[in-house]
Amino acid sequence: MPLKQIETSALARENYWLKSLNEHIQYLKKNSWYYKDQLMWAGPEATVLEEVADISNFPFTEKDDIASRNEDFLCVPMTDVRDIVTTSGTLGGSVATYLTQKDLHRLGVNEAGSYLLAGCTKEDTFQLLTTIDKRFMAGLAYFLGANELGARIIRSGPGAAQLQWESIQRFSPTVLVAVPSFIPRLISYALDNGIDPNKSSVKKIICIGEAIRDENLQPNYLAKRITEQWDVQLFSTYASTEMATAFTECEAGNGVHLQPELMFVEVLNEDGNQVKNGESGEVIVTPLGVEGTPVLRFRTGDICHYYDEPCSCGRNTPRLGPVVGRKQQMVKLKGTSLYPNAIIDELNAIPEVANFVVELHSDELGLDEVVIKALLRGENAEAKVLEKLSGKLRVKPRLILASNDEINTLKFDENERKPKILIDRR
Ligand SMILES: [Zn+2]
């Protein structure tokens, strides 16, 4: 596939973004009750961009804004809505995103673009280990994307290792789309049942919802655990319902690429300024061409590293590293601040830890406290684990020993797509 000009030319991208952002703002002013209020407040002269950087004059949109005025974000009559997706809101209750026919098509084009970034073609067969129902967007997007690409699709859904292998052996998928923490279970099932994963048709796994690289873009513990046993290529992705757009890694594995036709992205530091290559900041997105529930400068709360140096694949589109943390999950411990993901990565890499959850509490003084509830194995495991953790993290978290059942009760909620390893009780 030849690269598009917008993927290789910064000038072409700027021109495209300037035109598209202006169209987007005019669309919001005309059709969104929420943004009519917001943009009137900003003043009519502020609603035209002369250059892309002028976007910083516009207000952010928070998840709570969408939750508190959900229906005011809908830009079309309800009769034009084709699919309703929800996410859990921070204010309690769920937050709806409404998709029109055009939005469903856009979602498919987006996910086809995501597959192309990962080097997939219409010759591939995709096995989707994702939930397509429960009002989720991701599973639907992966289905529409493979269809847009013209490839074959096997909707095997999450879990069910036996069904997955039966499906792999019968229909020979070349690509799996899955939550990566499920893959070790898939490998164990194969090995326990006399199946050699390396003799299967699967060549690539598109990983959703969880990181497979560390902050330096090197494979993390989970990725190594998978590829040591199964010779497959893993691809990171990063997306959310509000974005309706997926960032995806190319075969160079240098961070996930933005699809510039579909979204404008800012990565901002504490002062609200765009960060430089290699620095981290909060990801702010403006998805383009969304008709049903469009947003402007949506604050994801995700902290990622930003890269804009040309990638060896030939694209020079902005790229992001894995989510190092959520802005509101930042923990302040004895003068240092850290994101709980760092603790989770460490725990995953310690062989004495068999199962765990991480809880964040605030103590009676309002200070943050990290409590790890873990099932340990091996001799003298508690001391070893504490030593390894405090060595890496410079702070000593509280460790409470728990049974497998106690941990799993905290971890698994039937309304969640994936196990909840971090529980914020602050
Ligand atoms: Zn690349």
Side-chain angles (χ1 to χ4, degrees):
M1 261 312 265
L3 298 179
K4 289 173 271 185
Q5 198 193 12
I6 199 168
E7 293 179 298
T8 55
S9 158
L11 182 65
R13 247 181 344 262
E14 285 289 303
N15 289 337
Y16 173 83
W17 278 335
L18 183 61
K19 181 172 167 284
S20 306
L21 286 169
N22 272 320
E23 284 169 4
H24 184 63
I25 290 162
Q26 295 313 312
Y27 181 80
L28 295 176
K29 258 172 74 180
K30 190 163 171 247
N31 300 295
S32 162
W33 286 105
Y34 177 80
Y35 286 107
K36 275 180 201 181
D37 291 352
Q38 290 294 310
L39 301 180
M40 198 189 300
W41 194 250
E45 69 283 353
T47 59
V48 177
L49 306 182
E50 282 176 19
E51 54 179 354
V52 171
D54 292 343
I55 194 81
S56 61
N57 299 329
F58 286 78
F60 294 117
T61 306
E62 309 265 354
K63 179 117 188 180
D64 286 353
D65 297 329
I66 308 179
S68 58
R69 292 184 58 186
N70 205 172
E71 270 58 47
D72 286 350
F73 278 81
L74 176 61
C75 287
V76 296
M78 196 53 92
T79 47
D80 286 353
V81 171
R82 291 291 173 275
D83 191 73
I84 301 173
V85 165
T86 62
T87 54
S88 49
T90 43
L91 303 176
S94 61
V95 181
T97 296
Y98 300 94
L99 287 89
T100 64
Q101 188 64 43
K102 187 181 159 208
D103 292 335
L104 288 173
H105 179 246
R106 182 191 171 284
L107 199 59
V109 168
N110 150 67
E111 220 55 70
S114 177
Y115 290 139
L116 288 171
L117 273 163
C120 306
T121 69
K122 71 181 172 71
E123 306 304 323
D124 281 304
T125 297
F126 292 84
Q127 182 156 320
L128 308 182
L129 289 73
T130 51
T131 309
I132 201 165
D133 51 7
K134 295 201 171 171
R135 308 195 308 221
F136 288 142
M137 183 184 272
L140 178 67
Y142 284 106
F143 174 82
L144 294 173
N147 183 51
E148 179 71 28
L149 200 61
R152 279 137 310 288
I153 308 165
I154 307 155
R155 285 179 295 111
S156 55
Q162 186 189 357
L163 172 80
Q164 304 298 351
W165 280 112
E166 190 262 339
S167 213
I168 294 170
Q169 292 181 310
R170 179 157 178 205
F171 302 114
S172 306
T174 46
V175 183
L176 305 185
V177 178
V179 174
S181 57
F182 177 66
I183 303 300
R185 270 169 60 199
L186 203 56
I187 296 172
S188 320
Y189 181 91
L191 299 177
D192 291 347
N193 289 275
I195 301 166
D196 181 356
N198 288 314
K199 290 198 175 127
S200 77
S201 51
V202 178
K203 297 287 170 277
K204 296 179 186 208
I205 303 178
I206 305 218
C207 298
I208 69 169
E210 294 165 349
I212 50 158
R213 291 187 187 274
D214 62 20
E215 262 187 69
N216 304 315
L217 301 178
Q218 296 305 308
N220 66 9
Y221 171 76
L222 177 61
K224 283 187 216 153
R225 202 173 142 200
I226 295 169
T227 53
E228 272 163 17
Q229 290 181 288
W230 196 357
D231 182 21
V232 284
Q233 215 178 344
L234 304 178
F235 292 86
S236 303
T237 59
Y238 168 55
S240 71
T241 300
E242 294 82 7
M243 289 182 200
T245 311
F247 289 81
T248 308
E249 229 170 47
C250 69
E251 297 192 78
N254 274 326
V256 290
H257 281 277
L258 170 70
Q259 299 190 61
E261 311 96 300
L262 298 173
M263 193 155 69
F264 175 71
V265 68
E266 300 161 82
V267 180
L268 304 182
N269 63 19
E270 292 281 324
D271 302 325
N273 296 319
Q274 172 65 42
V275 302
K276 295 193 172 60
N277 185 61
E279 293 176 352
S280 65
E282 184 185 359
V283 180
I284 314 283
V285 294
T286 302
L288 302 167
V290 173
E291 197 174 49
T293 319
V295 291
L296 180 69
R297 302 192 85 203
F298 177 75
R299 294 186 79 144
T300 64
D302 295 332
I303 308 291
C304 292
H305 287 272
Y306 169 82
Y307 305 95
D308 60 6
E309 283 180 339
C311 178
S312 59
C313 69
R315 297 175 183 88
N316 62 3
T317 46
R319 303 189 306 284
L320 300 177
V323 176
V324 289
R326 300 271 310 154
K327 199 171 172 153
Q328 60 270 41
Q329 283 170 350
M330 194 176 79
V331 182
K332 288 205 160 91
L333 283 175
K334 303 193 177 96
T336 49
S337 52
L338 75 126
Y339 291 103
N341 284 11
I343 304 172
I344 292 169
D345 284 349
E346 286 309 322
L347 287 166
N348 274 325
I350 299 175
E352 286 84 10
V353 178
N355 196 2
F356 69 92
V357 287
V358 175
E359 289 185 343
L360 305 180
H361 295 269
S362 39
D363 69 12
E364 57 272 31
L365 298 172
L367 300 172
D368 292 335
E369 189 186 24
V370 177
V371 177
I372 298 163
K373 292 189 176 162
L375 174 72
L376 304 183
R377 60 187 158 208
E379 257 175 59
N380 206 12
E382 196 173 344
K384 283 185 196 161
V385 170
L386 279 172
E387 193 190 317
K388 282 180 189 168
L389 280 176
S390 49
K392 290 271 184 175
L393 301 169
R394 290 170 299 168
V395 288
K396 207 171 189 176
R398 224 173 103 202
L399 181 65
I400 297 176
L401 302 183
S403 72
N404 218 18
D405 283 349
E406 285 169 321
I407 295 167
N408 287 340
T409 308
L410 293 167
K411 231 173 157 175
F412 296 99
D413 178 337
E414 60 169 31
N415 296 314
E416 295 281 336
R417 246 170 297 193
K418 53 181 188 184
K420 214 171 166 178
I421 297 166
L422 178 73
I423 301 158
D424 199 339
R425 300 196 191 278
R426 293 176 296 177

